[in-house]
Amino acid sequence: HTIENSVKPLRRLTSPVFFSTDKEGKRRKGLSELPTQNEGPLLFVANHQFGGLDLGMIIAELVEERDLWVRGLAHPIAMGVAGAINGGEQVASRRTIRTDGNGDNNNFFSTDRFKDFGAVVVTPRNYYRLMQTGQNALLFPGGVKEVFHGKDEAYKLIWPENVDFVRTAARFNATIVPISALGAADSVNILIDGPEILKLPFGIGERAANSSANIVSARFNQNNTDELFQPPFALPKGLPARHYFVFGEAISTDHIDPKDKDGCAKLYKAVQDEMNRGFDDVLYARKEDPFADTARRIAYEQLAGRAAPTFPVELLNRKKVNTT
């Protein structure tokens, strides 16, 4: 199975755990509480973890557990130069995720892997077309800034002020499902932030700045220099930390007028609030994960032949704080 082959190495190292949330805000293990697609598409909105390798794990779980076919919106560099140039032509028909074992998707870092997952270049046109044609999508509003976040920015949303993705979702009655993803930031030690690298002497900073300027920006309203494509200098902490994905309470847009700026701004904040609730819940609950230690977890899974257990889901179901 192509999807399994693509994400299997990451699954072995990170032992991801998935949770979903019902209409009352209660968490459950697994994705049983995800909404079904009704009149409009499902729009999954996630933070982009450090390094940006979470797209495959999320989409694979949606396909395998819920038979949900979701199109990821990926940075032009992840899709290859041709994808960046011809992004508007990559919105295809439903279910273009490859499952036939062909292609170069066994190489996890290949740009073909993203295409085989049904991903398209993140452009306003592509996003609009996905919503217009009723295709489920996975969006990372924080983009590169979250992928290459700084030392003190782990599990903090670094989103633009622009709320256009909400307006488009409302136009086509999409249901927004926030996703809080954790684990990658705990797998590395960030020693030098990206902007600090540009200030390094002996021509190092200048070369880094020139390299970043040549990367096509994923944001249509920014030039290449405004969106810094410069990873920080980071070293791995041995084996990766366990990953957790909390699919938050679904948010309907059918009551939102896409021309209502205030209404769209409030919904935008509601999505952020639900994601921040997910961060807080997991940071609290994972202290009780008996297999948070990576070496112990991997040894257990090799011997037992199954995923290591995690913390009781009840720890995620603390009283929901009303932030409205």
Side-chain angles (χ1 to χ4, degrees), residues 149-264:
H149 67 69
K151 292 187 284 285
D152 301 318
E153 295 176 326
Y155 314 128
K156 293 182 180 179
L157 299 178
I158 311 173
W159 287 13
E161 295 182 4
N162 190 312
V163 301
D164 279 354
F165 89 77
V166 169
R167 295 175 61 191
T168 301
R171 181 178 182 128
F172 298 107
N173 294 324
T175 298
I176 298 175
V177 182
I179 305 175
S180 306
L182 298 90
D186 302 292
S187 305
V188 296
N189 279 316
I190 299 175
L191 303 179
I192 307 176
D193 289 343
E196 294 174 355
I197 291 177
L198 304 189
K199 301 175 184 177
L200 292 176
F202 311 116
I204 298 174
E206 183 179 357
R207 287 195 294 272
N210 290 337
S211 176
S212 176
N214 289 328
I215 301 297
V216 177
S217 174
R219 300 195 187 281
F220 73 99
N221 57 351
Q222 292 183 344
N223 59 41
N224 295 359
T225 57
D226 290 333
E227 183 180 75
L228 179 62
F229 199 95
Q230 174 57 52
F233 179 67
L235 295 176
K237 296 180 180 178
L239 295 171
R242 188 168 211 172
H243 282 32
Y244 307 89
F245 297 89
V246 177
F247 288 66
E249 191 172 346
I251 301 173
S252 173
T253 64
D254 60 7
H255 63 291
I256 298 294
D257 181 350
K259 297 179 181 178
D260 179 2
K261 292 183 180 180
D262 290 339
C264 289

Side-chain angles (χ1 to χ4, degrees), residues 72 74-84 90 111-112 114-115 118-122:
H75 191 281
I77 199 69
M79 301 295 292
V81 175
Q90 292 198 23
T111 58
D112 282 348
F114 290 92
K115 296 172 186 175
V120 294
V121 175
V122 57

